[in-house]
């Protein structure tokens, strides 16, 4: 799985130094990423907006004068 951002690559490098991931894992991800130009950070995807249900029409009262 390739890296999605520069921040993610830095985090994996930190985990590698701490010994929490193997050299092979880091190198595999690095190879799959290749020379792509990565963004600094990746934002959250916007959830699709739900359509509002149509409101029922109000019944009007007839005034008896």
């Amino acid at each position: 799985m390739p890296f999605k951002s520069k921040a993610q690559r830095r985090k994996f490098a930190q985990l590698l130094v701490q010994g929490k991931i193997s050299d092979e894992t880091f190198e595999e991800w690095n190879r799959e990423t290749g020379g792509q130009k990565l963004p600094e950070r990746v934002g959250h995807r916007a959830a699709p907006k739900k359509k509002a249900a149509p409101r029922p029409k109000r019944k009007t009262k007839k005034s008896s004068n």
Side-chain angles (χ1 to χ4, degrees), residues 1-3 9 25-35:
M1 178 150 198
F3 292 114
R9 185 178 290 195
T25 303
F26 184 77
E27 285 305 318
E28 178 186 346
W29 280 54
N30 216 15
R31 252 192 328 272
E32 289 182 18
T33 303

Side-chain angles (χ1 to χ4, degrees), residues 8-37:
Q8 187 182 39
R9 185 178 290 195
R10 283 194 305 272
K11 178 65 176 180
F12 269 67
Q14 179 185 10
L15 293 174
L16 177 65
V17 170
Q18 293 173 355
K20 294 185 178 181
I21 62 170
S22 67
D23 292 341
E24 292 83 23
T25 303
F26 184 77
E27 285 305 318
E28 178 186 346
W29 280 54
N30 216 15
R31 252 192 328 272
E32 289 182 18
T33 303
Q36 294 177 11
K37 187 170 185 178

